[in-house]
Every structure is written in C-alpha cells, then in structure tokens.
C-alpha cells in the first residue's frame, strides 16, 4: 500500500482504507510536517506518513502527547509550512487550550487537524462528539462520507485553511477510518509546499482584540461553504420529507432509500460542512419540508443546529433523530438502524418483508491476548491485596489494561477517568490515608501513557508525599493502538534510532523509590508487591515484560506449554477449572470430553505463568530462555 500512497498515477483507481486515503490526501496536498499521538481509530495515519516521510521530503513524528503535536504544528505554520495534526476525540479534548488560543490568533501556513470520533467507544473510554470542540473554538469542520472524500477533503482543507488563515478540522469516524472503498488518485506535487522565512512582524499571539477578527473569519468560511462541492442533494425538488445526513449516515441512507423504493418522495441532503452550516444551501431544501430525519454519529448536534435554523426562519418542520428515539441515543449507526428510521419517515409498514433485517450478532467479552503480561500483573495484584485488612483501592488509565475493570483483569479497577488521571486520583486518595482512610491505594499506567501525561501528576504526588503505589506496566510499546514507538522505545516515526528515555531514571530524578519486577515471576513479584504495599509513602513499581504479541513477531521459537494428563486431576483437584475460568488466558481451555485442562498450541505464546499457578502442577513447560 505504500506504493499506492506515493504512486504518481493520477486517475488510477485503488482500493484504500479510509486512513490510507487521508495519507494520500496529505501527500497530494504537499505537507511539510505531521505530528500525532497514537489513538484508534486513526492510529495508522501517522504510522504510514512516517514510512514515506523521507521519500516525499517532509517530517513526521509520534509526539509525546497531543498537546505537543498540535503546538508543534502551530509553530511550523509561522514558516508557511503545511502541517497535519492527527488526534482522536479524546485527544481533541486534551488540546482544548491550544486549539482555542490557536483559533483566536490564527495561522499562516495551512494547518489541518484530523480528529477521529469513535461511536460506540470501540477503543475509547467515551464516544465524545468532537463537533462540540469545533463549535466552541469557532473553527470550521468538514466530515467525509467515504474514502474518496477522505482523500479529496485534505487538499481542500489546506487550501481553505490558508485562504482564511484559520485551522480546519476534518472529522472522521471509525467506519470511515477502517472501512475500504475505491479511490481515484489525484496528482502529486513535485515537491512539498513552499516554506518561507519567519518574518520579524509575523505574529501568532493570542490577545483578546483578535476575538472579533476570528468571528469574521468564521463568517467568511460560512460563505465559502455555501458552494462546497462535498455537499450533495438528491430527490424531489421540493421535498416534504427530508433526510439530512452527515458522515456514514449518507451511505446507510442510500441503501435504505433504494431498498425501500422511496426515492421519489424522500429527499436526501448530505452535508460535509459540519460547522459552520451553509444556511442558504440548506434552506433551499428545508423550506418545503414538513418532516426531517437527521442522521449523524454520536450526539444530535446537527439536529439541534437545524432546529435552530428552522426556528430562525419560522419554518414548521417536525424533526426526528437522536433526540426523540427515532435513532438510538448512544452507539454508532448501522444499516438496520437507518433502515428502521427511514421506513418510519416514509411510512412503509411492510419494509421488513422487502429488506430482511439481519439478526443481532452475539456479543463476545473482551480479553487480554494470550501471554499478555497485564493478565499476570492484575492477578498478582488482586492476590496481594487479599492479604490486606481492608480491600485495596485500584485506579488507573486507558490502554490495553482498561480491561482490568472487567473479568479479563479480575475486576481490579475501581475507577478509570481519563488518560493520565489515574495518578492524580490516587494522589488524592493517598492523602486521605492520613485522615482515616485505612486502605492501600494503587494506580497504574502503561509505558506510553507514562510519557504522555503521568509525569506532571507523579511530580505532584511526590512533592506532596502521597501515600500510594504507582505501577508502570512497561510492555515496550504503545500496544493498544498498534505498537507505535514512544520516548522509551528508542525509535522514531521515521525509523530513526535514538536514545531511549528510562522510566526508572525519570522516576528516580523526581525523587521516587523505584522497584523493577517481572510479572511472569509469580513468586518473586508476589513478594515484591506485598512488601511495597506495606511501606508508607510514594512507591513506583515498574512491571517490565514485553508485549506478547510484539514478542511473537520477533521470536522464531517459543517454549512449549502442555498439560500432563496423568497429573491433571480435572474437577478432582478443586481448582474449579482455574485454567479456563479463573485464569482466563486464551491459550488455556478445558477438555470437557476428558474433564481435564488443555493448552491450545495455536494461541499459547509460552509465557509459562499458568504452569506457576496450576494447583496440581499438571501444566509443564519445555524449553529454556536460551531458545
């Protein structure tokens, strides 16, 4: 796919993932700079940009966090450079201060922010709607429907950004990021966008008198959006029944209208210009409407804005959508949901016979990968806390280890707020241990999260002598989003080797007591945990063991783990099927025909933790570390 992204083949039709299409659009725009912190569903964008950066003569980096990424992009705009900042909806919240200030002072070189929303929170702690941030900051926002638009809107957004000297946000959603579709390639520039020397009187300073000019920029952008080529309408000239769709809702609606055979009576208005809304363009179709269904991902933002527009011009339209139950209040849209809503609008009672709505698929519980060190960490922590007089308090962060709040992590977490907040939650609770709270306080984070937002909180906790234990789950990668590098890995987005930063030394420099342990060493780490829990003050425990999936890609041999059927007592050992039910590793299961444990060689990665935990000693490990 790297060849396709950089191919100088205008007019060629390629099958592309949405994230790949965004990368191609950035290359066609001639970007000079790209920065991101990995966050699904858009993690692949910067990863691909990093691989082709030298070939296309631009710079790309995995920044330590989203604030670093956006502020670097604002900085390079001073030199008239085109920059792309990639975040997810949570990351857009992180950069709120920089976003609002940047919107007020404006930019020089084009600056496009890709934000990827995650309806149904497939890989997020929430399904926050990033359109609120665009509206709050008075920044224009576009939303593509398909992969072609995902590519084409990037150069358009850069041109709009430079024309108005304002940042532009392009909102993607999970199905656009990870879906695939045909894309017609455009022309590639001979070289990146022309940079300029930063002038003595170039100014990007946030002062209040710039508020009014910022609002005038938004007014100008609204006029531009009146003729935006990515807004579409199809249907009767003066529709009485109107559907207004944004993003993937347009694609689902196309299918519903076709299958329900209601194209002659229902109009479909597809809006790519999410904010500000092109009022004149929309009113062409709203003035005749009596009913309007609004299809959008996450919140009824568009619905409420259209209601306000109808009220402004005294239009009598009955709106339906996310607000009134025509669409679910939470979760992402799908073809069946949209089919139901369109059928209700078109008053098609026999639609189920025409469409054959699919049955709901069963839900599968999330779990850690086979051999994941986090499973061992949480098991050992829960076991250690059982020896305490009162139940311990465990709080944490977002990452693979978010599953610690579920069965896969033995229900260890009591709280997970936002990325980087676990150490601060624990600091507050740790202070209360001097005022009557008789419980051990534990928090944890991943190695990437440590660099992202934990350091300021750890400084605060150390300075104020919080009584708590911070466990850094160091698995040598940003594993949840696809193994992107971070400052502790010693590699950059462009593949350069650099000096890795030591989490241990950073913690020691702050003044923390640091211990390193291996979660796969059951006996040794259990003792370390119990000792640290019984010490007062702030302690840091680095649980160091590489991600099993990462290691499986690198190793040619692995240790063989198997069950000695002559030793395994089955139900008679009293373990209550510990291997499959309690431990829960995908590599461990239960042979119901023999009523004994078994190991799945296709899943097992040879970590051997189950052998250390097996009550009967029936699980054996063959092979040593030297292999």
């Amino acid at each position: 796919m790297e060849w396709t992204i950089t191919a100088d083949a205008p007019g060629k039709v390629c099958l592309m993932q949405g994230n790949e299409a965004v990368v191609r659009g950035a290359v066609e725009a001639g970007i000079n700079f790209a920065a991101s912190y990995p966050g699904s569903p858009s993690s692949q964008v910067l990863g691909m940009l990093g691989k082709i950066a030298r070939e296309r003569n631009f710079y790309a980096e995995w920044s330590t966090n989203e604030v670093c990424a956006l502020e670097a992009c604002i900085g390079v705009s001073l030199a008239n450079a085109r920059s792309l900042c990639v975040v997810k909806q949570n990351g857009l919240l992180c950069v709120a201060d920089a976003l609002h200030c940047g919107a007020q002072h404006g930019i020089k070189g084009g600056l496009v922010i890709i934000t990827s929303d995650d309806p149904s929170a497939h890989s997020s702690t929430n399904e926050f709607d990033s359109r609120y941030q665009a509206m709050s900051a008075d920044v224009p926002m576009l939303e593509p429907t398909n992969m072609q638009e995902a590519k084409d809107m990037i150069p358009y957004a850069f041109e709009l950004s430079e024309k108005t000297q304002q940042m532009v946000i392009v909102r993607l959603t999970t199905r656009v990021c990870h879906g695939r579709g045909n894309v017609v390639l455009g022309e590639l520039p001979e070289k990146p966008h022309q940079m300029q020397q930063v002038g003595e009187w170039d100014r990007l300073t946030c002062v209040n008198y710039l508020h009014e000019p910022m609002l005038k920029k938004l007014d100008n952008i609204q006029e531009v959006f009146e003729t935006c080529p990515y807004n579409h309408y199809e249907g009767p000239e003066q529709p009485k029944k109107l559907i207004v769709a944004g993003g993937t809702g347009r694609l689902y609606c196309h299918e519903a209208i076709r299958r329900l055979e209601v194209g002659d009576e229902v109009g479909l208005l597809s809006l790519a210009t999410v904010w500000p809304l092109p009022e004149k363009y929309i009113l062409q179709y709203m003035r005749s409407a009596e009913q309007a269904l609004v299809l959008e991902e996450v919140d009824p933002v568009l619905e409420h804005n259209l209601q306000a527009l109808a009220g402004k011009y005294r239009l009598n339209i009955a709106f339906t959508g996310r607000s009134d139950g025509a669409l679910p209040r939470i979760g992402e849209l799908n073809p069946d949901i949209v089919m139901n809503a369109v059928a209700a609008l078109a008053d098609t009672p026999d639609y189920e016979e025409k469409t054959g709505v699919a049955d709901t698929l069963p839900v599968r519980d999330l779990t850690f990968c086979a051999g994941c060190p986090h499973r061992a960490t949480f098991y050992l922590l829960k076991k250690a806390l059982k020896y305490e007089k009162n139940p311990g308090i465990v709080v944490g962060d977002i990452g693979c280890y978010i599953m610690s709040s579920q069965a896969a992590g033995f229900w260890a977490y009591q709280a997970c707020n936002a990325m980087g907040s676990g150490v601060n939650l624990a600091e507050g609770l740790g202070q209360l241990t001097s005022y009557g709270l008789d419980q051990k306080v534990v928090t944890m984070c991943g190695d990437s999260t440590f660099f992202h937002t934990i350091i300021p909180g750890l400084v605060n906790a150390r300075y104020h002598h919080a009584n708590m234990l911070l466990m850094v789950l160091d698995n040598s990668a940003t594993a949840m989003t696809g193994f992107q590098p971070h400052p502790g890995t010693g590699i950059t987005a462009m593949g350069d080797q650099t000096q890795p930063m030591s989490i241990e030394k950073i913690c020691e420099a702050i003044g923390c007591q640091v211990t390193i342990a291996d979660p796969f060493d059951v006996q040794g780490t259990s003792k370390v945990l119990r000792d640290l829990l019984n010490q007062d003050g702030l302690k840091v425990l680095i649980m160091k063991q590489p991600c099993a999936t990462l290691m499986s890609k690198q190793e040619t041999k692995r240790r063989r783990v198997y069950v000695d059927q002559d030793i395994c007592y089955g139900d008679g050992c009293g373990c209550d099927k510990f291997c499959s039910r309690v431990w829960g590793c995908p590599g461990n299961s239960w042979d119901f025909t023999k009523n004994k444990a078994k190991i799945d060689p296709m899943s097992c990665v040879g970590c051997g933790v189950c052998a250390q935990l097996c009550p009967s000693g029936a699980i054996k490990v063959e092979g040593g570390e030297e292999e």
Side-chain angles (χ1 to χ4, degrees):
M1 184 52 68
E2 288 176 37
W3 180 87
T4 302
I5 290 172
T6 59
D8 191 7
K12 181 179 177 65
V13 180
C14 300
L15 180 66
M16 302 185 87
Q17 188 192 63
N19 285 334
E20 294 167 340
V22 168
V23 173
R24 174 68 189 199
V27 174
E28 290 181 9
I31 63 168
N32 308 97
F33 188 96
S36 175
Y37 179 83
S40 187
S42 59
S43 302
Q44 295 88 351
V45 174
L46 198 283
M48 287 184 278
L49 286 171
K51 292 179 180 178
I52 62 173
R54 282 198 173 81
E55 177 186 348
R56 297 302 306 175
N57 195 28
F58 64 86
Y59 175 79
E61 75 172 31
W62 285 115
S63 302
T64 305
N65 60 33
E66 294 87 351
V67 177
C68 297
L70 179 56
E71 292 182 340
C73 289
I74 293 172
V76 302
S77 79
L78 267 170
N80 198 45
R82 285 188 168 183
S83 57
L84 185 74
C85 178
V86 186
V87 299
K88 64 183 292 182
Q89 83 277 13
N90 304 89
L92 194 64
L93 285 171
C94 289
V95 303
D97 193 4
L99 175 67
H100 282 243
C101 291
Q104 188 157 305
H105 60 59
I107 48 88
K108 185 179 176 184
L111 200 171
V112 175
I113 302 171
I114 299 292
T115 179
S116 55
D117 286 12
D118 190 17
S120 290
H122 293 288
S123 54
S124 310
T125 51
N126 60 51
E127 53 176 7
F128 171 76
D129 195 317
S130 62
R131 289 177 291 179
Y132 292 116
Q133 282 288 72
M135 293 164 60
S136 176
D138 291 313
V139 173
M141 176 178 273
L142 299 163
E143 182 173 3
T145 296
N146 54 34
M147 288 73 224
Q148 184 70 54
E149 289 184 351
K151 178 192 78 71
D152 293 342
M153 279 188 192
I154 304 304
Y156 175 85
F158 274 109
E159 291 168 7
L160 178 65
S161 175
E162 289 166 351
K163 179 179 179 181
T164 60
Q165 293 191 322
Q166 183 58 285
M167 296 180 283
V168 175
I169 302 176
V170 178
R171 181 197 190 220
L172 308 177
T173 54
T174 304
R175 299 302 167 186
V176 173
C177 287
H178 293 165
R180 292 185 181 274
N182 285 341
V183 175
V184 180
L185 302 184
E187 293 185 0
L188 292 181
E190 293 183 5
K191 54 185 178 181
H193 185 70
Q194 183 64 45
M195 294 185 288
Q196 298 174 358
Q197 294 289 332
V198 179
E200 182 181 356
W201 295 102
D202 285 335
R203 294 287 186 268
L204 297 182
T205 305
C206 187
V207 289
N208 196 53
Y209 68 75
L210 292 174
H211 194 176
E212 179 63 27
M214 177 183 70
L215 296 177
K216 287 183 178 179
K217 286 181 184 178
L218 199 66
D219 292 338
N220 293 336
I221 290 167
Q222 186 174 38
E223 286 299 316
V224 173
F225 279 179
E226 294 290 352
T227 56
C228 177
Y230 302 109
N231 292 327
H232 308 278
Y233 175 78
E234 50 196 289
E237 280 190 27
Q238 295 183 319
K240 290 188 176 180
K241 295 180 178 181
L242 178 66
I243 301 172
V244 185
T248 53
R250 169 190 171 194
L251 302 181
Y252 301 148
C253 191
H254 268 300
E255 179 181 346
I257 289 174
R258 177 180 57 81
R259 295 176 69 184
L260 294 169
E261 301 173 352
V262 294
D264 293 337
E265 59 179 295
V266 174
L268 173 58
L269 175 60
S270 303
L271 292 177
T273 52
V274 175
W275 184 257
L277 292 178
E279 293 188 1
K280 298 172 189 175
Y281 179 78
I282 294 171
L283 285 170
Q284 295 179 65
Y285 309 103
M286 277 181 55
R287 289 191 186 280
S288 62
E290 297 174 358
Q291 297 173 268
L293 168 65
V294 184
L295 302 175
E296 57 190 320
E297 289 290 17
V298 189
D299 290 336
V301 176
L302 180 58
E303 184 180 344
H304 290 164
N305 287 336
L306 292 175
Q307 287 173 335
L309 183 60
K312 178 180 177 180
Y313 291 95
R314 294 181 171 84
L315 304 180
N316 187 18
I317 303 175
F319 284 91
T320 188
R322 291 277 191 182
S323 293
D324 67 343
L327 303 172
R329 293 179 64 183
I330 64 170
E332 63 183 344
L333 299 177
N334 62 44
D336 294 342
I337 289 172
V338 173
M339 185 80 70
N340 288 331
V342 175
L345 178 73
D347 194 19
T348 311
D350 59 343
Y351 77 96
E352 290 185 359
E353 297 177 8
K354 292 183 179 180
T355 61
V357 176
D359 294 331
T360 302
L361 294 173
V363 177
R364 184 177 68 175
D365 288 341
L366 296 172
T367 189
F368 292 114
C369 300
C372 176
H374 297 340
R375 177 182 287 103
T377 292
F378 285 108
Y379 178 80
L380 296 177
L381 176 61
K382 287 284 283 188
K383 186 176 179 182
L385 288 172
K386 285 183 179 179
Y387 290 96
E388 300 300 321
K389 180 177 65 173
N390 296 317
I393 305 171
V394 183
V395 298
D397 273 280
I398 177 69
C400 296
Y401 44 91
I402 187 64
M403 286 182 284
S404 60
S405 60
Q406 304 169 29
F410 311 102
W411 310 102
Y413 268 15
Q414 275 108 324
C416 176
N417 185 37
M419 194 164 183
S421 65
V423 66
N424 299 309
L425 268 63
E427 191 270 337
L429 289 163
Q431 300 297 352
L432 296 182
T433 59
S434 300
Y435 296 88
L437 182 67
D438 191 11
Q439 291 177 276
K440 305 298 184 183
V441 179
V442 182
T443 186
M444 52 192 60
C445 69
D447 45 333
S448 181
T449 303
F450 177 85
F451 293 105
H452 179 276
T453 30
I454 291 295
I455 295 174
L458 185 59
V459 170
N460 185 59
R462 172 65 185 87
Y463 186 73
H464 294 101
H465 305 288
N467 189 18
M468 54 179 275
L469 171 63
L470 167 64
M471 298 175 67
V472 181
L473 312 186
D474 185 358
N475 61 1
S476 304
T478 314
M480 185 181 187
T481 53
F483 310 108
Q484 295 83 4
H486 59 69
T489 61
I491 192 169
T492 70
M494 295 171 65
D496 294 331
Q497 297 294 322
T498 186
Q499 181 66 39
M501 293 188 178
S502 167
I503 295 175
E504 178 186 6
K505 290 181 179 178
I506 291 173
C507 293
E508 289 175 343
I510 292 171
C512 301
Q513 171 194 335
V514 183
T515 306
I516 299 177
D518 181 356
F520 288 172
D521 176 9
V522 172
Q523 186 174 352
T525 302
S526 294
K527 183 178 184 306
V528 167
L529 264 171
R530 291 194 63 188
D531 289 344
L532 291 176
L533 287 170
N534 287 310
Q535 295 177 25
D536 291 330
L538 175 61
K539 295 84 57 180
V540 176
L541 173 60
I542 301 175
M543 300 290 272
K544 198 167 183 62
Q545 180 66 234
C547 169
T549 302
L550 187 65
M551 293 302 293
S552 66
K553 295 178 180 180
Q554 300 173 356
E555 293 177 348
T556 56
K557 288 186 178 181
R558 62 179 66 172
R559 297 189 299 173
R560 175 176 174 254
V561 181
Y562 67 97
V563 177
D564 187 331
Q565 297 293 325
D566 293 332
I567 298 177
C568 181
Y569 300 139
D571 282 339
C573 73
C575 68
D576 190 28
K577 298 183 177 62
F578 174 87
C579 307
S580 57
R581 290 183 181 175
V582 180
W583 178 234
C585 178
N588 303 104
S589 59
W590 196 262
D591 187 338
F592 287 95
T593 60
K594 299 179 180 179
N595 203 29
K596 291 188 177 184
K598 66 177 182 179
I599 303 293
D600 178 8
M602 297 299 293
S603 299
C604 178
V605 297
C607 72
V609 177
C610 57
Q612 299 177 63
L613 297 173
C614 178
S616 64
I619 301 180
K620 304 293 185 180
V621 180
E622 279 186 357
E625 294 297 328
E626 67 276 3
E627 295 184 23

